[in-house]
Structures are given as structure tokens and as C-alpha cells.
């Protein structure tokens, strides 16, 4: 059974739900992971989109990243923007702009602009501007 589907016209690599990727995954384009996908190695692409329940043991390196709800990750390094959705947890996020949604947990965030939308748990913030949207 195939774990990947490549859409060459749009430059997207789809990882099917409930897949386990046990090696380093690098793709020139976008990577979209289905529900409950586990990545045991690093993930590299222009854009990485994780659906709910994904797990990334390695590092995510990209230009833009969307970390879906209830995901677990170790490190995200992006050139532009990272969005972390509710109930996701990770150790480190670095980008120009980081948006943390309500209920996520990140140990350290380093960015030029950090937007915290609601109650998020962040142990250490390092950035130029920090904006809190809700009480």
C-alpha cells in the first residue's frame, strides 16, 4: 500500500492518514499530512501542513508551517510563518511570524512577531513584538 500520493501539477505530496514515515522526508513543494501521521525523521519542504493528531519526532524545516490541532512536534524552523493550532505541543518554534492559538503548549518561541490568540502556555518568548489577542 502506498503511503504517499504526489500531485505533480500543483507540487503537493500527500501523506495518507495513519501512515508512519520512518525516514527523512524532503520534497520541493508542499507536504500535506493526513490524520494521525507519524514522522520519525525530519520533514523538509516549502510548506508543511499537518492535520490533527500528527507526530513529528524530527525537525520541521520549511518556509511556512501549519501545525494542526492535537499535534506533537519537537522543533519547527520556518523562514516566514508558523501557525500552531489548539492542544498542540512542541519544544521549539522559530520563524519571522508565529501565531499561537488557544490551548497550545510550546516551550520556546523565537520570532520577530509573536501573536498569542487566547491562553497558550509558552515557557520562553524571544521576539521583537509580542501581541496577546484575548484575556
Amino acid at each position: 500500500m502506498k503511503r504517499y500520493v504526489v500531485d505533480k501539477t500543483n507540487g503537493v505530496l500527500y501523506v495518507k492518514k495513519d501512515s508512519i514515515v520512518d525516514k527523512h522526508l524532503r520534497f520541493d513543494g508542499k507536504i500535506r499530512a493526513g490524520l494521525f501521521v507519524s514522522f520519525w525523521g525530519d520533514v523538509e519542504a516549502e510548506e508543511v501542513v499537518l492535520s490533527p493528531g500528527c507526530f513529528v519526532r524530527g525537525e520541521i524545516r520549511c518556509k511556512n508551517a501549519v501545525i494542526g490541532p492535537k499535534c506533537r512536534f519537537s522543533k519547527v524552523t520556518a523562514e516566514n510563518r508558523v501557525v500552531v493550532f489548539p492542544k498542540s505541543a512542541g519544544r521549539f518554534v522559530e520563524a519571522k511570524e508565529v501565531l499561537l492559538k488557544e490551548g497550545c503548549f510550546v516551550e520556546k518561541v523565537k520570532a520577530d512577531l509573536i501573536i498569542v490568540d487566547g491562553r497558550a502556555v509558552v515557557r520562553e518568548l524571544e521576539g521583537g513584538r509580542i501581541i496577546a489577542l484575548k484575556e
Side-chain angles (χ1 to χ4, degrees), residues 73-77 90-94 106 108-110:
F73 61 93
S74 58
K75 184 177 181 182
V76 179
T77 305
R91 285 189 300 147
F92 181 72
V93 176
E94 181 177 6
V106 181
K108 183 176 180 179
V109 177
K110 183 178 179 181

Side-chain angles (χ1 to χ4, degrees), residues 111-114 126-130:
D112 295 335
L113 173 63
I114 301 169
E126 184 178 326
R129 294 188 306 167
I130 301 169

Side-chain angles (χ1 to χ4, degrees), residues 9 13 20 25 43 54 68-69 80 107 111 122 128 130:
T9 57
L13 175 98
I20 297 173
L25 182 62
V43 179
C54 288
N80 298 324
E107 288 188 28
V122 182
I130 301 169

Side-chain angles (χ1 to χ4, degrees), residues 82-97:
V82 175
V83 178
V84 182
F85 278 89
K87 297 182 182 174
S88 290
R91 285 189 300 147
F92 181 72
V93 176
E94 181 177 6
K96 284 184 182 172
E97 183 179 322

Side-chain angles (χ1 to χ4, degrees), residues 10 12 25 33 63 79 106:
N10 296 322
V12 181
L25 182 62
K63 290 185 179 176
E79 291 178 24
V106 181

Side-chain angles (χ1 to χ4, degrees), residues 32-89:
R32 294 187 177 270
L35 296 166
F36 307 110
V37 174
S38 293
F39 296 95
W40 292 100
D42 294 347
V43 179
E44 285 187 63
E46 285 183 28
E47 184 175 316
V48 176
V49 179
L50 302 179
S51 294
C54 288
F55 171 77
V56 182
R57 178 187 253 181
E59 182 179 342
I60 300 171
R61 288 186 286 273
C62 57
K63 290 185 179 176
N64 297 304
V66 177
I67 311 297
K70 299 180 182 177
C71 288
R72 301 285 176 259
F73 61 93
S74 58
K75 184 177 181 182
V76 179
T77 305
E79 291 178 24
N80 298 324
R81 186 169 195 201
V82 175
V83 178
V84 182
F85 278 89
K87 297 182 182 174
S88 290

